Amino acid sequence: MIRSGRTKLENSLLMRLGGMFVAITVLAVTSMSTSWMVAETIQGSGEAINLAGSLRMQSWRMAAIYQRLQSDGATEDAEDLGEAIARFEADLKAAPILAVLPSDETTPLWHVYRQVENDWRTVVKPGLQVTPAAGRPARGSVLDDIPAFVAHINDLVKQIEDAAEAKILVMRVILGAAVIATMLVVALAIYLVNNILVYPLRGLLGLADQIGQGNLAVRNDLTGEDEIGRLGQAFNHMAEDLSMLYQNLEARVEEKTAELTIANRSLELLYHSIARLYNGPIAPRTYEILLKDLENVLGLGHGLACLVEGDGATRGRVIASTLPPLPEGADPCSVMSCAECLARPALAVHPLGDGRRVLSLPLNDTEQLYGVLQLEMPPGKELVQWQSQLLEALSRHIGIAIGTARRTEQSRRLSLLDERAALARDLHDSLAQSLAYMKIQVSRLKPLVEGSGAGSEAGDVLAELREGLNSAYRQLRELLTTFRLRIEGEGLGAALQTTVTEFSNRGGIPITLVVHLAGCKLTPNEEIHALQIVREALSNVLNHAQARQAEVSVSCNSDGSVSATVTDDGIGIHGTARAHHYGMTIMEERAKNLGGRLSVENLAARGTRVALHFVPSTRREDNGTIHPIQPS
């Protein structure tokens, strides 16, 4: 890991560029430092040259003073000569001249300087200081040496100048070499920057423009270990990812479009379904359309909707289905058991025996369970969240619609019963009182007819009149009782049980009740008519049959029709039984109102059977739509 980090650091573009700038900086600092050092060595060379040049003038001046002294012998000239000698000697050994002398004493400059110093010390200075006995110097001795001495001084000046020029040349060479090296390094830096930075970045920019124009197949060949190489590799990966994303974009757009389409169809289905449910919540055609919409939108199989009769029921009545017909007489709820579906309080999937599955949803509101909605699940089909939410929302709205419809129906039923009770009160207060009064008057009339000695014909008429009044009064009381009947929310079965108990207690005979109405839906009016026919038949059993026991049976047939029978073991019915008795006529009228038929027959052994058979109005409305069904 350390070696990898070190390799990346060595291959780093920043390190390369930093190295270039460091090289340029080092060259610049080196050249400036060298120039400074050379300049330091040159410093004082001009002063040394000036002093060395002044030695020539001083030499000629000393020669001139010496010549005047030779001529005049003046004391002032001697003093001037002494001062000139002292000054020459001080300048010859002055610090600027000594400073320009190199450390290597074998150089020509040192040789010339020693020669000048030696000539001054051994020839010129002693010659200027020698005087004759008369106080004058010897004529012509030193003056002849001055020109050679000055020539040596010229050599010294020239050597100093040459040394200074050599140092300046060195500085020039160093500066020139530094400039050339700097230019080479700068050129190399520019070349490297162009090759490793500018050109690759320009190429990447051009490739980026091509990608922006939609050409996702472009790639670069930058494969180095530096930042640009890694940038090129990252660019290639980005281009590949963009290419893959672009290739999948159309499919993803189509997928999202399909999801949005499904969501819109789901919302549309929910909206139209709710509108249909609350406009006609118990219409079978509504549920059939809803089932077909669910099949199309959710991709589910065929289904059916069942309603149960009362709490605790395990059998249902099919109100709508999209399944193929079952054989005649088959029970669809035996194929898809309602009991198992109703036991589940929420959406559930039930396996069938042949490997298929059925999806069930309870139809309920906050108060009661009304039924179940069943849909076939295709093989391998699993519901996603939005499908489950849609099904649960629809099942809740169906349950609410059914509950609302039933409460509305119950309200209408109570209103009808209130009207019947009011009519019963009116009949009781008017016609019943009048018939009671007529019965009393007939009873008063009988002794008068018998005491008057009238014939038997008048007595027969009076007896028939009395019997007719008694029959009319009894029928009126039965009618009043019927009007006061109230079938509450528990349904027809409970009302029949109450009626059987009432007549059994009144007549003192056992009456058996058998009720199987699951699968048949009766309107309130149909329930009242059926109950009144049963009551009238039981009344005949108590009043005329002289029976020891009776049986009441009400059942829902496989074709959706209803059969109600009242059987007794009495004396049977005779031809004269209908005289002054309007009960049979009333029962026949009620049977016609139900759209059914009423039959009365004597049993072979003993007794009578009154049978009612009719098709409920809900079944007649659905006759062209709903049939016995089976899963496909």
Side-chain angles (χ1 to χ4, degrees):
M1 184 174 181
I2 296 176
R3 178 174 295 179
S4 176
R6 184 178 301 170
T7 302
K8 289 184 178 180
L9 187 62
E10 292 174 355
N11 294 326
S12 173
L13 179 61
L14 294 177
M15 289 295 295
R16 296 181 186 178
L17 295 177
M20 297 176 191
F21 290 119
V22 168
I24 294 173
T25 304
V26 168
L27 286 174
V29 171
T30 301
S31 62
M32 288 187 292
S33 300
T34 305
S35 300
W36 178 76
M37 288 187 294
V38 172
E40 284 292 324
T41 60
I42 296 175
Q43 187 176 3
S45 296
E47 185 177 1
I49 292 171
N50 290 333
L51 284 174
S54 69
L55 292 177
R56 292 177 296 185
M57 296 300 297
Q58 292 181 40
S59 298
W60 292 117
R61 183 172 179 273
M62 286 186 298
I65 295 171
Y66 182 80
Q67 190 174 8
R68 287 198 309 270
L69 182 61
Q70 243 181 0
S71 301
D72 300 337
T75 304
E76 292 83 359
D77 292 335
E79 292 177 355
D80 291 339
L81 180 60
E83 292 177 357
I85 292 172
R87 181 178 177 184
F88 183 92
E89 189 172 16
D91 289 343
L92 180 62
K93 296 183 178 179
I97 295 177
L98 295 177
V100 300
L101 295 176
S103 58
D104 186 5
E105 295 182 358
T106 61
T107 58
L109 179 59
W110 266 103
H111 177 72
V112 173
Y113 179 76
R114 286 194 187 99
Q115 187 175 6
V116 171
E117 184 183 19
N118 184 58
D119 291 345
W120 168 258
R121 187 176 62 252
T122 60
V123 177
V124 177
K125 181 177 178 181
L128 293 175
Q129 292 177 341
V130 174
T131 58
R136 295 178 182 177
R139 183 176 298 270
S141 58
V142 176
L143 297 177
D144 295 334
D145 297 327
I146 290 301
F149 182 67
V150 171
H152 290 157
I153 292 175
N154 286 334
D155 291 338
L156 177 63
V157 173
K158 187 175 183 305
Q159 288 294 328
I160 294 174
E161 290 177 350
D162 291 342
E165 289 179 356
K167 293 179 179 179
I168 292 173
L169 179 62
V170 170
M171 185 173 65
R172 288 177 180 176
V173 171
I174 292 174
L175 289 177
V179 170
I180 293 173
T182 302
M183 292 179 63
L184 290 176
V185 173
V186 170
L188 178 61
I190 293 174
Y191 173 78
L192 291 177
V193 167
N194 283 330
N195 281 273
I196 67 177
L197 186 63
V198 176
Y199 293 151
L201 290 179
R202 187 176 299 168
L204 287 177
L205 182 60
L207 295 178
D209 291 337
Q210 294 186 43
I211 288 180
Q213 296 173 3
N215 183 12
L216 301 179
V218 295
R219 299 291 185 273
N220 65 79
D221 54 356
L222 301 176
T223 57
E225 295 295 331
D226 57 7
E227 289 84 350
I228 294 296
R230 293 197 293 272
L231 179 61
Q233 297 173 12
F235 182 90
N236 290 339
H237 290 314
M238 180 196 70
E240 292 176 1
D241 293 340
L242 287 176
S243 180
M244 294 179 62
L245 289 175
Y246 185 80
Q247 291 174 0
N248 297 330
L249 182 61
E250 186 174 355
R252 294 179 63 186
V253 168
E254 292 179 356
E255 180 182 353
K256 293 298 181 181
T257 302
E259 292 178 0
L260 290 175
T261 302
I262 291 176
N264 290 333
R265 292 181 62 187
S266 301
L267 292 175
E268 184 180 0
L269 169 63
L270 188 60
Y271 171 77
H272 290 296
S273 298
I274 291 174
R276 293 191 191 102
L277 287 172
Y278 289 102
N279 288 334
I282 58 173
R285 181 62 180 171
T286 299
Y287 294 112
E288 185 178 357
I289 295 174
L290 188 147
L291 288 173
K292 290 181 179 179
D293 289 342
L294 285 177
E295 295 172 11
N296 295 330
V297 174
L298 302 182
L300 300 177
H302 300 306
L304 56 83
C306 294
L307 296 183
V308 296
E309 302 297 334
D311 295 334
T314 58
R315 303 284 294 176
R317 175 173 61 92
V318 178
I319 60 171
S321 173
T322 59
L323 295 171
L326 283 171
E328 185 175 357
D331 184 6
C333 286
S334 65
V335 179
M336 292 184 176
S337 174
C338 293
E340 183 179 359
C341 296
L342 293 173
R344 303 293 181 93
L347 184 148
V349 178
H350 310 277
L352 295 179
D354 54 0
R356 290 174 295 168
R357 297 177 300 163
V358 174
L359 174 71
S360 68
L361 297 100
L363 305 178
N364 59 351
D365 56 11
T366 57
E367 299 178 358
Q368 186 179 351
L369 177 65
Y370 300 106
V372 65
L373 187 67
Q374 297 177 335
L375 295 165
E376 284 185 320
M377 291 282 289
K381 174 70 175 181
E382 296 296 336
L383 294 179
V384 295
Q385 184 178 5
W386 70 268
Q387 293 175 326
S388 301
Q389 292 175 348
L390 176 62
L391 287 171
E392 290 174 352
L394 280 177
S395 65
R396 285 195 301 269
H397 282 289
I398 292 174
I400 293 172
I402 293 174
T404 301
R406 290 195 174 183
R407 285 188 288 271
T408 302
E409 180 182 342
Q410 183 66 19
S411 177
R412 290 198 302 267
R413 178 183 296 172
L414 293 176
S415 299
L416 177 61
L417 294 177
D418 289 339
E419 291 181 5
R420 289 175 178 270
L423 181 58
R425 287 193 300 270
D426 293 340
L427 290 176
H428 180 272
D429 295 338
S430 59
L431 185 57
Q433 298 296 333
S434 298
L435 288 176
Y437 175 75
M438 290 176 66
K439 286 181 62 179
I440 294 174
Q441 293 301 106
V442 169
S443 298
R444 293 180 59 192
L445 182 60
K446 182 179 180 182
L448 296 177
V449 171
E450 292 177 352
S452 65
S456 59
E457 184 178 355
D460 294 338
V461 172
L462 184 60
E464 291 179 4
L465 178 60
R466 184 175 183 179
E467 183 179 356
L469 287 173
N470 288 336
S471 177
Y473 186 76
R474 185 172 62 254
Q475 294 295 325
L476 179 60
R477 299 302 299 180
E478 291 290 337
L479 184 60
L480 292 177
T481 302
T482 301
F483 279 167
R484 292 190 179 98
L485 288 177
R486 301 182 68 85
I487 300 178
E488 304 294 346
E490 61 271 13
L492 179 59
L496 287 171
Q497 184 62 56
T498 302
T499 298
V500 167
T501 302
E502 174 191 345
F503 278 89
S504 179
N505 293 334
R506 186 194 304 176
I509 63 173
I511 303 175
T512 305
L513 175 64
V514 179
V515 179
H516 295 291
L517 283 176
C520 289
K521 179 66 175 177
L522 303 181
T523 65
N525 191 56
E526 290 171 341
E527 291 179 346
I528 290 294
H529 280 302
L531 180 60
Q532 288 174 338
I533 291 174
V534 171
R535 290 183 62 86
E536 183 62 33
L538 290 177
S539 177
N540 290 336
V541 170
L542 296 185
N543 295 326
H544 306 290
Q546 303 176 12
R548 294 188 298 273
Q549 62 181 2
E551 180 184 71
V552 177
S553 175
V554 181
S555 61
C556 180
N557 302 317
S558 61
D559 60 355
S561 63
V562 177
S563 296
T565 60
V566 179
T567 306
D568 64 76
D569 59 352
I571 60 175
I573 189 170
H574 303 286
T576 59
R578 293 181 178 268
H580 305 292
H581 185 74
Y582 305 101
M584 298 298 295
T585 303
I586 293 174
M587 286 193 293
E588 291 174 354
E589 289 295 330
R590 292 187 186 282
K592 290 181 180 179
N593 289 335
L594 290 173
R597 64 182 184 273
L598 181 72
S599 61
V600 180
E601 59 178 336
N602 290 322
L603 299 179
R606 178 182 174 85
T608 307
R609 176 185 293 116
V610 178
L612 170 66
H613 185 82
F614 69 97
V615 178
S617 59
T618 55
R619 185 66 183 185
R620 292 196 300 270
E621 293 173 359
D622 303 344
N623 195 32
T625 304
I626 305 301
H627 304 281
I629 50 180
Q630 64 180 357
S632 58

